[in-house]
Amino acid sequence: MHSDVSWQRFKQFPRLMWIFLFGSFITRGSYYMVWPFLAVILYEKFALSATEVGMVLSSAAIISVFTSFVGSSLSDRIGRHKLMYLTGILYIISFSLLAEANSVEGYVVVMTLCSMATSLWRPLTSAAIGDIIADPKTRELAMQSLYFIVNVGCAVGPMLGVWLGLTGKQSSFYLTAVAFAVLLALLYWGFNHQTRQDVALAAGASSNDNLSGGTSGTESDGASGSVNDMTSDGVNRGVNGLSSDTETSTKKAAVVSRKQIVAILLQDKLLQCLIFANILCMFIYAQMDSSLIQYLTRAGAPDLLTLISGMIFTNAMVIISTQFLLLKLMARFPLVKRIQIGLLLLICSQIWLAFNPLDLFWGWIGAIVVMSVAETILFPTMNVHIDRLAPDHLRGAYFGAASFYDLGFALAPLGGGIILDHFGGQWLFLTGAVLSVLVIYLYSILDRLPRPDFAMFKAD
């Protein structure tokens, strides 16, 4: 299936999609004012080694991965918007506490809460997009747009933080808490609008059926059944599956048991290989957020905060400026081929980072440009890949399983810290290049791997 970028497709986005986009912008912008600088804060406040900093960052992230899988699977049963409200509240509490943490133990506990909230929110949002947009091409554009707007926030956040004097300041986490409070208010408004719209659509369908069905009891019953079918379809994205009416009837309709979900995921060898490949890919990418910053900090790179902010800004700006252009250029390629092209660019960036002189400012920026082009191709395509693999009634479970990608992010600070302490920065990036080659191989064998027969798993 080819991609399609057009204004007509943007006009098909429902109001809730625009709320997701705006909310992602304000939350990511405030988040990136300070989160990437946590490694610097921990090093300067507590004089921790690279391995110890990595352990603090990794321990929080590892716990959150399993929370994400359980929460996302539950979203298919109890409703995504309820879990989104709870996750938003967890965000507000955890980021407010992080603004006040003053011990290593406090950082570990609160960062775990923050990571849990983050890892729950991402798959919930991706699955929700699949619920509210029926057309596959429009849905792919929506996921690409979400990734685009997140990176606009990533570009604006650090630069705005520098301008306001907030970059790297712990108190800036209060801004993230406020941003999520605003987003929750918008979601409440959006979900209520969605509910009213669904009721109106159901009423309109009922009226049309009654007019066409006449006044006989049998025909009237048939019309009623038609409306019930429309409102009880758990993944009726034409009626926008996130309203409370639809979610309530989802639970009354077909629900796959937890045991069946686990059985399906265990039988889907293609999904398992894909998850392992993407864990490795995320491990490589996460070095930019943790180990690269640690390496530059400990090696005494000149103009450190300017360099770190510049790399974050460059990463986001490359994605913003090239994402939809690359989407059009790559439209003729299958998803797996796009990912393999991105991985080749990733290998080039890792080799560049490995041999760049410490004091060559624009060399670091150049390597990040190449890495960012690779990211622009890879990351949104991974979400689209999962969306196309997932059966409609297991969308939350599949995106929850895909959240195990985050194990790569979780293990990256610890693994990168150990490599830095024992082998140095050059070996860190050469390791990333070798792992990228392995990921290319794993993607090349995906089509040969078996998948379950979904028809065998009947809903309870």
Side-chain angles (χ1 to χ4, degrees):
M1 181 180 295
H2 299 318
S3 302
D4 182 16
V5 182
S6 66
W7 179 244
Q8 204 59 35
R9 292 213 174 270
F10 281 112
K11 289 169 68 176
Q12 293 176 22
F13 288 0
R15 180 177 298 184
L16 205 51
M17 184 64 217
W18 294 109
I19 291 175
F20 285 150
L21 293 175
F22 177 72
S24 296
F25 171 71
I26 61 173
T27 54
R28 290 297 94 180
S30 58
Y31 176 92
Y32 271 89
M33 283 185 185
V34 65
W35 187 270
F37 299 90
L38 273 175
V40 180
I41 294 172
L42 290 169
Y43 174 64
E44 292 181 345
K45 287 185 73 169
F46 306 110
L48 300 180
S49 70
T51 301
E52 288 169 335
V53 170
M55 192 173 296
V56 170
L57 297 174
S58 291
S59 61
I62 289 171
I63 295 172
S64 71
V65 171
F66 297 96
T67 305
S68 174
F69 173 65
V70 174
S72 300
S73 298
L74 284 175
S75 74
D76 285 326
R77 303 175 67 86
I78 68 175
R80 273 182 257 289
H81 70 280
K82 292 177 184 176
L83 276 182
M84 293 182 86
Y85 285 140
L86 293 173
T87 304
I89 292 170
L90 178 59
Y91 254 123
I92 294 168
I93 293 171
S94 58
F95 278 103
S96 297
L97 291 174
L98 190 55
E100 299 295 332
N102 56 13
S103 67
V104 175
E105 294 79 9
Y107 271 98
V108 171
V109 172
V110 179
M111 285 171 63
T112 300
L113 294 176
C114 292
S115 298
M116 288 170 62
T118 301
S119 61
L120 278 169
W121 187 267
R122 283 200 300 259
L124 282 172
T125 304
S126 297
I129 291 171
D131 289 337
I132 65 176
I133 300 178
D135 183 77
K137 290 185 179 180
T138 305
R139 194 158 68 241
E140 177 177 349
L141 182 60
M143 290 182 175
Q144 295 274 1
S145 300
L146 183 67
Y147 187 68
F148 173 84
I149 206 69
V150 163
N151 282 284
V152 173
C154 294
V156 171
M159 293 297 106
L160 183 62
V162 169
W163 183 60
L164 296 174
L166 297 173
T167 295
K169 288 191 176 180
Q170 189 176 346
S171 58
S172 301
F173 281 121
Y174 279 124
L175 292 176
T176 308
V178 171
F180 263 94
V182 172
L183 176 55
L184 284 186
L186 289 172
L187 283 175
Y188 180 77
W189 172 64
F191 285 136
N192 283 341
H193 174 268
Q194 198 77 49
T195 301
R196 290 193 299 271
Q197 188 178 60
D198 291 350
V199 170
L201 284 170
S206 176
S207 175
N208 290 337
D209 285 344
N210 285 332
L211 286 173
S212 62
T215 57
S216 70
T218 303
E219 290 173 328
S220 176
D221 289 343
S224 173
S226 173
V227 175
N228 287 339
D229 288 344
M230 181 178 65
T231 57
S232 65
D233 183 357
V235 286
N236 188 349
R237 293 187 295 270
V239 190
N240 298 323
L242 278 183
S243 74
S244 58
D245 289 346
T246 307
E247 290 200 44
T248 299
S249 49
T250 297
K251 289 180 280 183
K252 294 178 181 178
V255 175
V256 180
S257 70
R258 290 187 185 90
K259 183 177 179 180
Q260 287 178 320
I261 289 173
V262 172
I264 290 170
L265 296 179
L266 288 176
Q267 289 183 31
D268 200 337
K269 302 304 180 185
L270 187 153
L271 177 68
Q272 293 167 28
C273 182
L274 180 67
I275 288 173
F276 179 61
N278 289 342
I279 286 173
L280 295 178
C281 193
M282 296 304 178
F283 179 88
I284 300 163
Y285 266 106
Q287 303 306 327
M288 190 185 108
D289 293 333
S290 56
S291 303
L292 174 57
I293 293 173
Q294 284 214 70
Y295 168 64
L296 295 173
T297 302
R298 294 165 194 278
D303 300 318
L304 179 64
L305 291 182
T306 302
L307 178 57
I308 294 173
S309 295
M311 289 192 301
I312 297 169
F313 177 76
T314 299
N315 174 248
M317 286 304 298
V318 168
I319 293 168
I320 291 168
S321 60
T322 64
Q323 182 176 349
F324 291 105
L325 173 63
L326 286 171
L327 184 60
K328 272 194 169 295
L329 292 175
M330 294 282 178
R332 67 182 185 276
F333 296 113
L335 286 178
V336 171
K337 183 63 69 177
R338 291 185 227 171
I339 290 171
Q340 290 173 333
I341 292 171
L343 288 167
L344 288 173
L345 290 172
L346 181 58
I347 293 171
C348 295
S349 72
Q350 295 301 295
I351 294 173
W352 188 337
L353 287 170
F355 293 101
N356 190 69
L358 180 65
D359 58 354
L360 186 57
F361 182 96
W362 291 106
W364 295 114
I365 298 298
I368 295 303
V369 168
V370 177
M371 191 173 183
S372 301
V373 173
E375 179 182 342
T376 306
I377 297 169
L378 288 170
F379 279 24
T381 308
M382 288 175 180
N383 269 344
V384 174
H385 201 177
I386 284 291
D387 182 73
R388 293 185 184 176
L389 289 176
D392 283 348
H393 62 298
L394 293 173
R395 192 175 303 279
Y398 266 65
F399 274 105
S403 68
F404 279 105
Y405 298 174
D406 287 341
L407 275 175
F409 274 114
L411 295 172
L414 178 58
I418 292 172
I419 295 172
L420 281 178
D421 277 342
H422 293 89
F423 303 103
Q426 189 174 75
W427 278 105
L428 173 68
F429 302 117
L430 290 176
T431 301
V434 172
L435 290 177
S436 299
V437 174
L438 175 58
V439 176
I440 289 177
Y441 167 74
L442 292 173
Y443 265 95
S444 71
I445 65 172
L446 284 181
D447 289 340
R448 290 177 257 161
L449 298 175
R451 302 203 68 199
D453 180 2
F454 296 108
M456 292 178 58
F457 294 91
K458 304 289 186 181
D460 291 341

